[in-house]
Amino acid sequence: MADYDVFNGDADGICALVQLRNHDYRDSSLITGVKRDIALLDRVAAKAGDRVTVLDVSMDKNKDGLANTLEAGADVFYVDHHFPGDIPQHPKLNAIINEAADTCTSILVNTHLKGAFAGWAVTGAFGDNMKKSATALAKNLDISADDLQLLENLGIYINYNGYGSNLDDLHFRPDELFKKVLPYANPLDFIKGGNVDFQKLETGYQEDMNSAQVTKPEVATDNSAVYILPNQPWARRVSGVFGNDLANQYPDRAHGVVTEKANGNYLVSVRAPLSNKQGAVDLCRQFPTGGGRAAAAGINDLPADMLKDFIEKLDKSYS
């Protein structure tokens, strides 16, 4: 019997898996990648009796891999909050899917584990820019306001680390970062004590955000704003968290962070207004390679000649 852990390389995927493996440790094969690398089940060659855990990647984007895994006779535990498509009814599939705009995979795992490692659920929710949900969940923790801020920072930094066009853009490979945080049942223990890995994440985040924050919007209205970042590693790393930061600064406005790619196309991150966390995935799915969830979505490879159309549709969607 073999174990496979398949997870998104962002904060939500990593923090969900940390909870599960602190509860039930498995010497598993880790299948992950940069945040936008989500067709992960195609990499799993499971056999009958194997156990496959899938976290924070769209079932719709993995339907063929899921079908093959189930057909091979493996047991699949699938937890996610993205658009799933048709969820198969299969005796070997245990699926916890919830598309609600105020939940994420880490919160779903926390509920499944009855709050056993809630600190990591709070961290994952902060990383997914669900500040209200994270703060509400943190009320069950006996921690200070300063420690809560540390959990928010950690969630943001782990999420930031997952963005890039390839693994070379990242400070830590997601499987490597998971292994570094796994020994800590309490995320505050990872943060405190001069941990060099935490310091590396923090320094990288601060330097990249300083570069992003001097960028002026390409287009800005009362309804939406679009920022265009250059084809540089720092820009690719910061594209998602910069969008979250803009959403927090302007909660009634939708945002598109558009990053130039080497092929002449664009990588796009979309954030719905915090006051109306709907519609982002519907917008992005109108374009090739688009997907995500209601509050936050993206387009992996927007053709250059579609940029104007995207900008117009973003503004119209939230007018």
Side-chain angles (χ1 to χ4, degrees):
M1 181 183 71
D3 288 301
Y4 298 88
D5 285 332
V6 182
F7 59 103
N8 198 316
D10 70 353
D12 196 23
I14 290 174
C15 292
L17 185 58
V18 170
Q19 293 176 75
L20 286 173
R21 293 298 157 254
N22 269 279
H23 172 75
D24 176 22
Y25 177 77
R26 298 178 184 180
D27 185 16
S28 57
S29 297
L30 302 177
I31 312 295
T32 187
V34 297
K35 180 178 174 63
R36 297 296 182 90
D37 189 1
I38 58 174
L40 297 174
L41 266 174
D42 290 339
R43 303 183 197 171
V44 176
K47 300 180 178 62
D50 290 350
R51 297 183 296 183
V52 181
T53 298
V54 189
L55 301 170
D56 199 41
V57 291
S58 165
M59 186 178 287
D60 184 59
K61 301 293 186 182
N62 285 274
K63 55 188 174 184
D64 291 340
L66 176 59
N68 293 335
T69 301
L70 292 171
E71 185 178 347
D75 292 293
V76 179
F77 179 52
Y78 207 122
V79 189
D80 188 43
H81 65 133
H82 299 91
F83 173 75
D86 293 328
I87 301 175
Q89 301 300 310
H90 196 285
K92 288 191 170 291
L93 173 63
N94 179 9
I96 301 174
I97 307 292
N98 187 337
E99 294 181 79
D102 59 352
T103 196
C104 61
T105 306
S106 290
I107 292 176
L108 296 175
V109 169
N110 177 71
T111 301
H112 175 70
L113 296 180
K114 298 180 173 58
F117 304 96
W120 282 111
V122 170
T123 302
F126 274 130
D128 241 18
N129 203 36
M130 295 184 179
K131 188 167 184 173
K132 185 175 181 180
S133 297
T135 303
L137 184 58
K139 291 179 180 178
N140 298 320
L141 303 175
D142 184 19
I143 61 173
S144 66
D146 288 343
D147 281 350
L148 182 61
Q149 183 62 58
L150 289 176
L151 294 185
E152 181 174 1
N153 292 347
L154 177 60
I156 292 170
Y157 301 159
I158 295 176
N159 203 56
Y160 149 81
N161 180 75
Y163 282 87
S165 63
N166 55 63
L167 293 172
D168 291 336
D169 282 343
L170 310 185
H171 296 295
F172 297 97
R173 294 171 57 101
D175 55 348
E176 175 190 7
L177 185 55
F178 165 73
K179 291 177 181 177
K180 287 181 177 295
V181 300
L182 178 61
Y184 301 91
N186 184 340
L188 290 170
D189 293 334
F190 171 75
I191 297 170
K192 295 181 177 181
N195 189 305
V196 295
D197 297 320
F198 176 77
Q199 292 173 353
K200 182 177 179 179
L201 288 172
E202 185 168 59
T203 299
Y205 170 81
Q206 292 173 346
E207 290 177 350
D208 288 353
M209 281 296 287
N210 287 339
S211 297
Q213 286 170 344
V214 300
T215 305
K216 303 299 183 184
E218 185 77 9
V219 178
T221 71
D222 290 341
N223 305 317
S224 68
V226 174
Y227 291 73
I228 298 181
L229 301 182
N231 178 28
Q232 296 291 333
W234 72 262
R236 295 191 289 271
R237 287 194 298 264
V238 85
S239 61
V241 290
F242 183 44
N244 290 343
D245 189 61
L246 290 168
N248 291 325
Q249 288 185 57
Y250 306 98
D252 296 322
R253 193 171 75 178
H255 293 90
V257 178
V258 177
T259 307
E260 297 172 347
K261 297 180 63 174
N263 66 359
N265 292 342
Y266 299 98
L267 176 74
V268 181
S269 290
V270 174
R271 298 295 181 266
L274 292 185
S275 60
N276 178 27
K277 296 167 67 173
Q278 301 294 329
V281 66
D282 297 326
L283 168 68
C284 290
R285 290 180 67 209
Q286 296 178 48
F287 298 91
T289 70
R293 52 188 174 84
I299 306 167
N300 289 341
D301 194 47
L302 179 71
D305 60 3
M306 288 187 172
L307 177 60
K308 182 179 178 181
D309 187 31
F310 164 76
I311 293 173
E312 292 174 351
K313 286 183 176 178
L314 174 68
D315 195 64
K316 185 178 179 180
S317 295
Y318 295 99
S319 62

